[in-house]
Amino acid sequence: MLSHLEPSCPPPGWAPALWPGRMSRPAADSLDLWLFHVTDAGLRSVVLDRSPLDPGERSRVTSFVRPLDRGRYVAAHLALRRVLCAYEGVRPAELVFVRRSCPCCGGPHGRPALAGADAPHFSLSHAGGLVLIGVAGRPVGVDVEALPPPRKAATVSEALHPAERRAVHAAQPALRPAVFARLWARKEAYLKGLGTGVGRSPDLDYLGDPGAGAPARPPGWTVRDVPVGPEHAAAVALERAPGADPAITVRTHHLGVLDASAAEVLAGR
């Protein structure tokens, strides 16, 4: 179950939007968020055209054992291309992706990026049937997480910052999966924005709630929760320009649900 909402309806705070035509690039202190529902029924009812994907993406598709996982990956990456081509003014298949250098080791496996010095920054995450895309004028990371079973939340929370672990343990048992998922989504979004992923230990940085006695959050970044419904947690992390105000402008766009019309749009037709 994606949420208690009908999949074609936007969650609270998300404005319905048509698939984008031409979009202006976000300013340095703003970002665009795009949400797309990919239901199991939608995947069973359409055939997704993989031709816009590059060889690396098509190779990744074949690594998934379950057809459902293959379909979700294809839908998410087609959606990313379709959104980004609105900013770049090209067709989805014409986008060229590169990898920035890893901040941890310098290897070629850092943050994904569009080729070209003036291209917008972006981040993609998908979990279950939700696809979340962030586009910004500065480095950005997004993450969406399905609420885990209680045992998984208890186990994986041991990898968090000590103060974050305490927040999970202090929550009522029934609420711990949601508390953990919210913290983990913030963590993943921040680490993806940095370009390190979990190459940087998740226990080093505090992304919990601010307040009296709480550790400081990483400087130079604004991290926010993103409302996506009761069955998931999501977050976005945006790098701020030096000296910039922590406040940022977020434009949200709900792209609806995967169906035959959306499949045509995803292919760039």
Side-chain angles (χ1 to χ4, degrees):
M1 181 173 65
L2 293 176
S3 74
H4 301 305
L5 299 165
E6 291 297 322
S8 58
C9 298
W14 292 82
L18 298 174
W19 284 88
R22 193 72 172 95
M23 295 289 298
S24 60
R25 296 179 183 179
D29 59 349
S30 68
L31 64 97
D32 289 337
L33 292 176
W34 303 87
L35 186 68
F36 185 40
H37 283 75
V38 180
T39 64
D40 296 357
L43 287 172
R44 288 193 293 267
S45 66
V46 303
V47 176
L48 293 172
D49 181 1
R50 302 180 187 180
S51 62
L53 302 181
D54 62 31
E57 290 169 311
R58 289 196 287 271
S59 175
R60 180 77 174 107
V61 172
T62 64
S63 69
F64 292 102
V65 175
R66 299 173 62 224
L68 184 60
D69 293 332
R70 290 197 294 269
R72 288 171 174 169
Y73 177 92
V74 171
H77 282 254
L78 289 175
L80 174 66
R81 284 180 173 270
R82 182 62 184 82
V83 165
L84 289 177
C85 74
Y87 298 89
E88 293 296 273
V90 299
R91 295 180 65 82
E94 296 172 339
L95 294 169
V96 178
F97 294 100
V98 296
R99 284 275 189 174
R100 301 299 186 202
S101 298
C102 172
C104 293
C105 67
H109 48 260
R111 184 190 310 111
L114 282 172
D118 62 342
H121 297 268
F122 71 88
S123 182
L124 166 69
S125 180
H126 57 97
L130 290 186
V131 177
L132 182 63
I133 298 165
V135 182
R138 294 187 63 81
V140 62
V142 300
D143 189 62
V144 59
E145 299 285 338
L147 267 59
R151 180 172 296 180
K152 181 178 179 181
T155 301
V156 183
S157 66
E158 295 305 308
L160 293 171
H161 185 281
E164 295 169 339
R165 292 200 297 268
R166 290 194 292 271
V168 175
H169 296 319
Q172 297 178 14
L175 299 179
R176 285 173 190 166
V179 172
F180 164 78
R182 184 169 65 249
L183 289 168
W184 194 261
R186 295 175 189 172
K187 187 80 61 175
E188 288 272 11
Y190 172 65
L191 295 178
K192 288 166 75 173
L194 286 179
T196 64
V198 292
R200 179 177 175 84
S201 179
D203 66 357
L204 294 178
D205 305 290
Y206 177 74
L207 276 303
D209 295 334
R217 283 185 167 191
W221 288 81
T222 294
V223 181
R224 284 189 182 179
D225 295 332
V226 178
V228 291
E231 303 297 327
H232 294 77
V236 59
L238 180 68
E239 183 189 61
R240 301 194 303 270
D245 191 286
I248 59 175
T249 300
V250 181
R251 299 184 296 185
T252 57
H253 314 271
H254 183 253
L255 298 174
V257 63
L258 176 64
D259 58 15
S261 297
E264 290 289 308
V265 174
L266 290 175
R269 300 191 184 108

